[in-house]
Amino acid sequence: MHGYPVSNYFNIARAALIEKAVPHDIVITRASQEPEFLERSALGKIPVLEGPDGWIAETVAILEYLDDKFSAVSLRPNDLGTRAHARQIVNIAQVYVEVPCRALFPGVFAAGSVATKAQADALATIDRAVAAISRLRREGPFLLGDELTAADVFGFFTLDIAQRVVGFLTGRSILDEAGLRDWFASVAARPSTVAVMADFLSFLAPYLAERDAPYRLEHPIDA
């Protein structure tokens, strides 16, 4: 798996590998527009999975490939309705949480700024999406019941970043507001999450320093 532990997309794919107990190596790689890297990842993004079937980029594609290739432990629900709900949550997390959240990164994880109107619009979209995920949640420790699915893995690493960003900018906890704190804690306690988050925090500190970012790891809203 090629990627960088600050990337939530890389962390989603890596957590899936750990959950499935698939032996793998990590190659620390940044996104790049160099021709050689574009041959492996058409958009030059991370993560990129290198394996017997060639190079596979895009996190959703990687997760689907892993479920097809290593089906003994699946993150894809067997029930078709539940599977559709899981895919719906993944889509909401990716398009309506991660994308607007990323627009706020310059003023949080770098020494930049975001226009007031753009920030307000992004925060409104994130709030709406997190509320939607909460409405889709079913009874049980995970988003769709008793079994961990791709919705949990994708949702956890997306909402972890969103919690940090929104908390830093507003002092609010989107997890608490949406009633997702207990779910978040359930996923956070899994060995896969513990391992991935340890590397995330280790790599994030120098990443923030490199960019003279105003965000600090000890920000209280993240607890």
Short mmCIF file of all heavy atoms in Angstrom, two decimals, residues 97-128:
data_model
loop_
_atom_site.label_atom_id
_atom_site.label_comp_id
_atom_site.label_asym_id
_atom_site.label_seq_id
_atom_site.Cartn_x
_atom_site.Cartn_y
_atom_site.Cartn_z
N VAL A 97 -19.04 15.26 3.37
CA VAL A 97 -18.23 15.56 4.56
C VAL A 97 -16.80 15.85 4.15
O VAL A 97 -16.27 16.94 4.41
CB VAL A 97 -18.27 14.42 5.60
CG1 VAL A 97 -17.38 14.78 6.80
CG2 VAL A 97 -19.69 14.15 6.07
N GLU A 98 -16.16 14.90 3.49
CA GLU A 98 -14.73 15.05 3.19
C GLU A 98 -14.45 16.19 2.22
O GLU A 98 -13.52 16.98 2.44
CB GLU A 98 -14.19 13.73 2.62
CG GLU A 98 -12.72 13.50 2.89
CD GLU A 98 -11.80 14.23 1.92
OE1 GLU A 98 -12.28 14.60 0.83
OE2 GLU A 98 -10.62 14.42 2.25
N VAL A 99 -15.23 16.32 1.16
CA VAL A 99 -14.95 17.36 0.16
C VAL A 99 -15.09 18.77 0.75
O VAL A 99 -14.16 19.58 0.62
CB VAL A 99 -15.84 17.17 -1.09
CG1 VAL A 99 -15.72 18.38 -2.01
CG2 VAL A 99 -15.43 15.90 -1.83
N PRO A 100 -16.21 19.13 1.40
CA PRO A 100 -16.25 20.47 1.99
C PRO A 100 -15.26 20.66 3.12
O PRO A 100 -14.74 21.77 3.33
CB PRO A 100 -17.70 20.60 2.48
CG PRO A 100 -18.20 19.21 2.59
CD PRO A 100 -17.50 18.43 1.53
N CYS A 101 -14.98 19.58 3.85
CA CYS A 101 -13.99 19.66 4.92
C CYS A 101 -12.62 20.02 4.35
O CYS A 101 -11.89 20.86 4.90
CB CYS A 101 -13.95 18.34 5.67
SG CYS A 101 -13.01 18.39 7.20
N ARG A 102 -12.28 19.42 3.23
CA ARG A 102 -10.98 19.66 2.60
C ARG A 102 -10.84 21.13 2.18
O ARG A 102 -9.74 21.69 2.20
CB ARG A 102 -10.82 18.74 1.39
CG ARG A 102 -9.44 18.73 0.78
CD ARG A 102 -9.31 17.60 -0.22
NE ARG A 102 -9.32 16.30 0.43
CZ ARG A 102 -8.23 15.67 0.86
NH1 ARG A 102 -7.04 16.21 0.68
NH2 ARG A 102 -8.32 14.48 1.44
N ALA A 103 -11.95 21.77 1.84
CA ALA A 103 -11.91 23.18 1.46
C ALA A 103 -11.51 24.06 2.64
O ALA A 103 -11.06 25.20 2.44
CB ALA A 103 -13.27 23.61 0.93
N LEU A 104 -11.65 23.54 3.86
CA LEU A 104 -11.30 24.29 5.06
C LEU A 104 -9.88 24.03 5.54
O LEU A 104 -9.41 24.70 6.46
CB LEU A 104 -12.29 23.94 6.19
CG LEU A 104 -13.77 24.22 5.88
CD1 LEU A 104 -14.64 23.69 7.01
CD2 LEU A 104 -14.02 25.70 5.67
N PHE A 105 -9.21 23.07 4.94
CA PHE A 105 -7.86 22.71 5.38
C PHE A 105 -6.88 23.88 5.41
O PHE A 105 -6.05 23.96 6.32
CB PHE A 105 -7.29 21.59 4.50
CG PHE A 105 -7.85 20.22 4.79
CD1 PHE A 105 -8.84 20.01 5.74
CD2 PHE A 105 -7.38 19.11 4.07
CE1 PHE A 105 -9.35 18.75 5.99
CE2 PHE A 105 -7.89 17.84 4.32
CZ PHE A 105 -8.87 17.67 5.27
N PRO A 106 -6.89 24.79 4.42
CA PRO A 106 -5.88 25.86 4.43
C PRO A 106 -5.88 26.70 5.70
O PRO A 106 -4.81 27.18 6.12
CB PRO A 106 -6.26 26.71 3.21
CG PRO A 106 -6.95 25.76 2.29
CD PRO A 106 -7.72 24.84 3.20
N GLY A 107 -7.03 26.88 6.33
CA GLY A 107 -7.07 27.69 7.53
C GLY A 107 -6.91 26.91 8.81
O GLY A 107 -6.92 27.49 9.90
N VAL A 108 -6.74 25.59 8.70
CA VAL A 108 -6.61 24.73 9.89
C VAL A 108 -5.28 23.99 9.88
O VAL A 108 -4.49 24.09 10.83
CB VAL A 108 -7.77 23.72 9.96
CG1 VAL A 108 -7.64 22.82 11.19
CG2 VAL A 108 -9.12 24.43 9.97
N PHE A 109 -5.01 23.27 8.81
CA PHE A 109 -3.82 22.44 8.72
C PHE A 109 -2.68 23.11 7.94
O PHE A 109 -1.69 22.45 7.61
CB PHE A 109 -4.15 21.09 8.09
CG PHE A 109 -5.14 20.28 8.88
CD1 PHE A 109 -6.19 19.62 8.25
CD2 PHE A 109 -5.05 20.18 10.27
CE1 PHE A 109 -7.10 18.87 8.97
CE2 PHE A 109 -5.96 19.44 11.00
CZ PHE A 109 -6.99 18.78 10.36
N ALA A 110 -2.82 24.39 7.65
CA ALA A 110 -1.77 25.17 6.99
C ALA A 110 -1.97 26.63 7.37
O ALA A 110 -3.01 27.01 7.91
CB ALA A 110 -1.82 24.99 5.47
N ALA A 111 -0.97 27.43 7.07
CA ALA A 111 -1.00 28.85 7.46
C ALA A 111 -1.73 29.68 6.41
O ALA A 111 -1.24 30.70 5.95
CB ALA A 111 0.42 29.36 7.66
N GLY A 112 -2.91 29.23 6.05
CA GLY A 112 -3.70 29.95 5.05
C GLY A 112 -5.00 30.43 5.65
O GLY A 112 -5.15 30.54 6.87
N SER A 113 -5.95 30.74 4.79
CA SER A 113 -7.25 31.20 5.25
C SER A 113 -8.31 30.79 4.24
O SER A 113 -8.01 30.40 3.11
CB SER A 113 -7.26 32.73 5.41
OG SER A 113 -7.01 33.36 4.17
N VAL A 114 -9.55 30.87 4.67
CA VAL A 114 -10.70 30.54 3.82
C VAL A 114 -11.68 31.69 3.94
O VAL A 114 -11.95 32.19 5.04
CB VAL A 114 -11.37 29.22 4.26
CG1 VAL A 114 -12.58 28.92 3.40
CG2 VAL A 114 -10.36 28.07 4.18
N ALA A 115 -12.23 32.14 2.82
CA ALA A 115 -13.19 33.24 2.84
C ALA A 115 -14.38 32.90 3.74
O ALA A 115 -14.79 31.74 3.83
CB ALA A 115 -13.68 33.53 1.42
N THR A 116 -14.92 33.90 4.41
CA THR A 116 -16.00 33.69 5.38
C THR A 116 -17.19 32.96 4.77
O THR A 116 -17.74 32.02 5.36
CB THR A 116 -16.45 35.03 5.96
OG1 THR A 116 -15.33 35.68 6.56
CG2 THR A 116 -17.53 34.84 7.01
N LYS A 117 -17.62 33.39 3.60
CA LYS A 117 -18.77 32.76 2.94
C LYS A 117 -18.47 31.31 2.59
O LYS A 117 -19.32 30.42 2.79
CB LYS A 117 -19.11 33.54 1.68
CG LYS A 117 -20.25 32.95 0.83
CD LYS A 117 -21.58 32.97 1.56
CE LYS A 117 -22.77 32.79 0.61
NZ LYS A 117 -22.72 31.53 -0.15
N ALA A 118 -17.28 31.03 2.08
CA ALA A 118 -16.89 29.67 1.72
C ALA A 118 -16.86 28.79 2.97
O ALA A 118 -17.27 27.62 2.93
CB ALA A 118 -15.55 29.66 1.02
N GLN A 119 -16.35 29.33 4.08
CA GLN A 119 -16.31 28.56 5.32
C GLN A 119 -17.71 28.26 5.81
O GLN A 119 -18.00 27.11 6.20
CB GLN A 119 -15.54 29.34 6.39
CG GLN A 119 -15.50 28.62 7.74
CD GLN A 119 -14.58 29.30 8.73
OE1 GLN A 119 -13.41 29.55 8.43
NE2 GLN A 119 -15.09 29.62 9.90
N ALA A 120 -18.59 29.24 5.78
CA ALA A 120 -19.96 29.02 6.24
C ALA A 120 -20.67 27.98 5.39
O ALA A 120 -21.39 27.11 5.91
CB ALA A 120 -20.73 30.34 6.23
N ASP A 121 -20.47 28.04 4.08
CA ASP A 121 -21.10 27.07 3.18
C ASP A 121 -20.59 25.66 3.44
O ASP A 121 -21.36 24.69 3.47
CB ASP A 121 -20.84 27.45 1.72
CG ASP A 121 -21.61 28.69 1.30
OD1 ASP A 121 -22.53 29.11 2.02
OD2 ASP A 121 -21.28 29.25 0.23
N ALA A 122 -19.27 25.53 3.64
CA ALA A 122 -18.68 24.22 3.89
C ALA A 122 -19.19 23.64 5.20
O ALA A 122 -19.56 22.46 5.28
CB ALA A 122 -17.16 24.31 3.91
N LEU A 123 -19.24 24.46 6.23
CA LEU A 123 -19.71 23.98 7.53
C LEU A 123 -21.17 23.56 7.47
O LEU A 123 -21.56 22.55 8.09
CB LEU A 123 -19.52 25.08 8.59
CG LEU A 123 -18.06 25.38 8.98
CD1 LEU A 123 -17.99 26.61 9.87
CD2 LEU A 123 -17.43 24.18 9.70
N ALA A 124 -21.98 24.29 6.72
CA ALA A 124 -23.40 23.94 6.60
C ALA A 124 -23.56 22.59 5.90
O ALA A 124 -24.41 21.77 6.29
CB ALA A 124 -24.14 25.03 5.83
N THR A 125 -22.76 22.35 4.88
CA THR A 125 -22.83 21.06 4.16
C THR A 125 -22.40 19.92 5.06
O THR A 125 -23.02 18.85 5.08
CB THR A 125 -21.96 21.11 2.90
OG1 THR A 125 -22.42 22.16 2.05
CG2 THR A 125 -22.02 19.79 2.14
N ILE A 126 -21.32 20.13 5.81
CA ILE A 126 -20.84 19.10 6.73
C ILE A 126 -21.90 18.78 7.77
O ILE A 126 -22.19 17.61 8.05
CB ILE A 126 -19.52 19.55 7.40
CG1 ILE A 126 -18.40 19.63 6.37
CG2 ILE A 126 -19.15 18.60 8.54
CD1 ILE A 126 -17.16 20.35 6.87
N ASP A 127 -22.51 19.80 8.36
CA ASP A 127 -23.55 19.58 9.37
C ASP A 127 -24.70 18.76 8.80
O ASP A 127 -25.21 17.84 9.44
CB ASP A 127 -24.07 20.92 9.88
CG ASP A 127 -23.11 21.60 10.84
OD1 ASP A 127 -22.22 20.91 11.38
OD2 ASP A 127 -23.25 22.82 11.04
N ARG A 128 -25.12 19.12 7.61
CA ARG A 128 -26.24 18.41 6.97
C ARG A 128 -25.88 16.95 6.72
O ARG A 128 -26.69 16.04 6.94
CB ARG A 128 -26.58 19.12 5.66
CG ARG A 128 -27.79 18.56 4.93
CD ARG A 128 -28.01 19.33 3.65
NE ARG A 128 -29.09 18.77 2.85
CZ ARG A 128 -29.33 19.10 1.61
NH1 ARG A 128 -28.56 20.00 1.00
NH2 ARG A 128 -30.32 18.55 0.94
#
